[in-house]
Amino acid sequence: MSPPRDLREWIARLEREGELVRVTAEVDADLETTEINDRTVKAGGPALLFENVKGSDHPLLINQFGTEQRMSMAFDAPSLDAVAEKLSDVLEMQPPQGLMEKMRGLQKLKSIADSRPKTVRSAPCQEVVLEGEDASLDLLPIQKCWPDDASAFITLPAVITHDPRSGVRNVGMYRMQKLGPRATAMHWQIHKDGRADYLATDGKIEVAVALGLDPVTTYSASAPLPKHIDELMLAGFLRGEPVELVRAKTVGIEVPANAEIILEGYIPKDELTDEGPFGDHTGYYTPPEKFPVFHLTAMTMRRDAIYPSIVVGKPPQEDAWLGKATERIFLPAIRMTVPEIVDYDLPIAGAFHNCCIVSIRKAFPGHAQKVMHAIWGLGMLSLTKAIVVVDEWVDVHDYEEVLFRVGANVDPQRDVLITEGPLDHLDHAPTRQFYGGKMGIDATHKGPEEGTREWPPEIEMTPEVKALVDRRWSEYGIPLDASARNGRISQSSRPLRRLLRR
Ligand SMILES: Cc1cc2nc3c(=O)[nH]c(=O)nc-3n(C[C@H](O)[C@H](O)[C@H](O)COP(=O)(O)O)c2cc1C
Ligand SMILES: [Mn+2]
């Protein structure tokens, strides 16, 4: 198999695997679907296809990415690391040696050659064409997610623009607050490529918005690629098949042929509106702020188009897995510039930009600090607020172990680096918006060359004794609870945790 070719194939696959439930009861896209979805996401439950949403003829899909397993299924990969491997294979390509290697090399080159989108003449996304007054966002089951949200928001769009100077395409996921049947706000944050295209434009910028794509292309819209790299190329590479594009009806933009719905329109340079409040992925409401206004000129769609949505809020939510996909897929690219990085983890509870745990092959004094500065200089990772650096043998995904290293190896006066720099647009903690403090914690082993005392060795049992006890274990007759790892409180003892917290 390969990744699903469009949203319908994806839905069929999810349904076959018992990963999707069709909800036929009538539901309200105003808050009710959020609460249903919230309970489902938090329980690791299925994707939800609401077939009967009050006031709309279109089904509403939520939670398509809501578990690690579904996120991997989206790429037709056994794990997100396997997706990353495909990328590192190409990034680290060496001149091939023998015939077999040459054949494999050609396969890899083909995967790159197939990455570029290709143009087609007719497309499912244009089965229905609505222009002028016929085009109306009122037709769609757009969710109002949280009680204090300013309005309903389109939350899972792939927004397409072109850089007016270079012509290079950009695709990004930016929420759109419904202002009326033919207008929305466009939440282009200041660090984002879509906003840069808009700022470089005179008069007005044409915009197309694709809704309901195959899952890999939807993911790609959220991927933090460098500005000059087209997200649809990444989508083509990860799908193993080019994204097919068709010319939009009222704007000079090519749009994904397989989309369920396309919104076409423009954004005037000088028109701003109050966007928000919006219950955001920070877990708090983002207050109103001025953002540009999108005007709808046409709406094209499939017959019986399915409208996709996502709910963000206090983590964990569905977007956690889009974030985890990025964390895994971008590791090989990060290693290209910072090869001493072994692995990293962006905790879901840290809303991705709040905390980064990174393990390194430490080779010289100050190496941890070098890597902190590298991360603060890397693409969207530059917005990271706190970084914890550990040695290569520490599992960055095991937060208990990381905390152990921070406690055991850190002299706060010596090992905590406080600095400042750009912060996430939505971070409400810094005194000023966009800019503030950052913290790096060096939890690596140190030694006399860094001015400390001799570092003590870690305790480890000998492999011989471990093997002996493995062999003899049944003789001892000791019953063990496998979930109580090393006396730690396991995930399964939630009630106990809650008790301890009081
Ligand atoms: C569900 C979801 C919603 C998002 N909403 C926004 C948003 O409203 N505004 C924004 O600037 N970025 C948002 N992002 C992050 C961007 O999609 C991400 O930074 C992407 O890389 C932007 O594309 P660009 O790098 O081409 O600008 C969202 C991401 C996800 C997964
Ligand atoms: Mn981009």
Side-chain angles (χ1 to χ4, degrees), residues 170-175 187 189 192-193 222-224 231 310:
N170 189 71
V171 187
M173 189 172 284
Y174 319 103
R175 70 169 183 250
H187 193 247
Q189 295 167 17
K192 305 303 170 74
D193 297 342
S222 78
E231 282 80 4
I310 190 169

Side-chain angles (χ1 to χ4, degrees), residues 22-42:
R22 289 175 187 268
V23 180
T24 52
E26 191 189 58
V27 293
D28 199 332
D30 188 338
L31 305 185
E32 187 184 6
T33 48
T34 300
E35 181 62 20
I36 299 168
N37 184 63
D38 200 46
R39 296 183 193 193
T40 309
V41 172
K42 296 215 157 75

Side-chain angles (χ1 to χ4, degrees), residues 25 106 128-129 159 306 312 346 379 393 421 436 469 472 476 481 484-485:
L106 283 176
V128 178
V129 177
V159 178
I306 299 164
V312 302
L346 305 170
W393 54 84
V469 172
R472 298 199 53 203
Y476 309 139
D481 174 5
R485 293 151 53 233

